[in-house]
Amino acid sequence: MGWHRELLIGFDLETTGTDPREARIVTGAVIEVRAGEPLGRREWLADPGVPIPADAVAVHGISNERAAAEGRPADQVADAIADVLVSYWRTGVPVVAYNAAFDLTLLSAELHRYALPSLADRLGGTHPAPVIDPYTIDRWVDRYRRGKRNLEAVCAEYGVVLDAAHDATADALAAARLASAIAGRHPKVAALGAAELHRRQIEWYAAWAADFQAFLRRKGDESAVVDGTWPLRGLTESQPA
């Protein structure tokens, strides 16, 4: 049948900012999806422990007042999300996250911040896998397509409905459906096993980062450095050799 028709786990975080090493979790969602249909979901609202900037509130709609009144402590949320994701990885079920290097790096930073076991610790010393990142895959298989590559734009390209952008549950569901849609359009992606696709994405992301870094340096930013590690930007987790 192919991985894209089996169980997929959509994952998304909404946060206080855009730097995954510094931003905090505000909301999170993990949703089970098979053949595009949602089967079950888990959702979290966190009190991030720091003020949520106005520009972040404008994106996801979670105010400081609501987070403080209704949110669980941030360490509990990070711990719970990590445990849920690890439970799927242990059985080989792919976790799908759009721009996974952001969400997983941010989650790892939160675990480190609160001295909680890392994802690798929870997996007995192995790296989190398989991860499927529609952002990385689409950028590789259709690298010359013009236009934006955010979730809304790529969903539109593949005909995937995104009901409420920047709602963690809606984004997680859209990411899983988008992964299946990309595989449906590109049989070579569908034909890869989830583990092999994970390994290919490590290579694809590194190649993109090297190209983008070279582009920035040609444009005059001679000190530009683009981190090419995926699905975690080097923080508390090691990448496979």
Side-chain angles (χ1 to χ4, degrees):
M1 288 181 65
W3 61 264
H4 61 304
R5 298 190 180 278
E6 300 293 342
L7 181 64
L8 299 174
I9 307 305
F11 167 54
D12 185 69
L13 298 175
E14 296 301 321
T15 70
T16 62
T18 58
D19 182 344
R21 295 175 176 86
E22 299 297 332
R24 311 297 180 92
I25 296 170
V26 178
T27 63
V30 172
I31 184 165
E32 295 182 343
V33 183
R34 188 188 298 273
E37 295 302 315
L39 304 176
R41 67 188 63 186
R42 293 174 178 152
E43 301 168 318
W44 295 266
L45 172 62
D47 177 355
V50 298
I52 305 172
D55 56 350
V57 174
V59 170
H60 52 61
I62 306 298
S63 67
N64 284 283
E65 293 75 16
R66 182 182 172 194
E70 302 176 22
R72 291 172 56 188
D75 59 337
Q76 294 181 17
V77 170
D79 195 39
I81 293 173
D83 274 349
V84 170
L85 294 180
V86 164
S87 72
Y88 292 112
W89 281 318
R90 283 181 180 144
T91 59
V93 177
V95 171
V96 182
Y98 195 85
N99 194 10
F102 176 84
D103 294 83
L104 291 177
T105 300
L106 193 151
L107 176 59
S108 295
E110 288 275 59
L111 297 174
H112 182 71
R113 182 173 291 118
Y114 296 110
L116 295 167
S118 70
L119 295 173
D121 290 340
R122 296 165 198 251
L123 288 164
T126 62
H127 60 279
V131 176
I132 294 175
D133 182 357
Y135 180 56
T136 295
I137 299 170
D138 174 64
R139 197 164 51 189
W140 182 260
V141 299
D142 198 357
R143 69 187 73 181
Y144 299 116
R145 189 179 74 245
R146 294 181 179 273
K148 295 181 179 180
R149 299 275 179 159
N150 58 31
L151 180 59
E152 298 97 313
V154 180
C155 280
E157 169 66 24
Y158 286 89
V160 172
V161 175
L162 176 56
D163 291 325
H166 303 297
D167 171 86
T169 300
D171 286 1
L173 176 58
R177 286 174 167 168
L178 182 57
S180 296
I182 293 172
R185 183 180 295 186
H186 300 281
K188 290 183 178 180
V189 173
L192 296 171
E196 178 59 24
L197 180 57
H198 181 100
R199 288 190 288 269
R200 296 283 185 93
Q201 288 171 99
I202 294 171
E203 298 171 0
W204 297 343
Y205 194 91
W208 165 81
D211 286 347
F212 188 45
Q213 179 175 293
F215 168 79
L216 293 175
R217 292 186 178 188
R218 287 196 305 271
K219 292 294 186 178
D221 187 355
E222 297 180 359
S223 62
V225 175
V226 179
D227 190 338
T229 54
W230 180 96
L232 287 170
R233 297 172 190 164
L235 221 180
T236 58
E237 311 281 352
S238 59
Q239 291 294 309

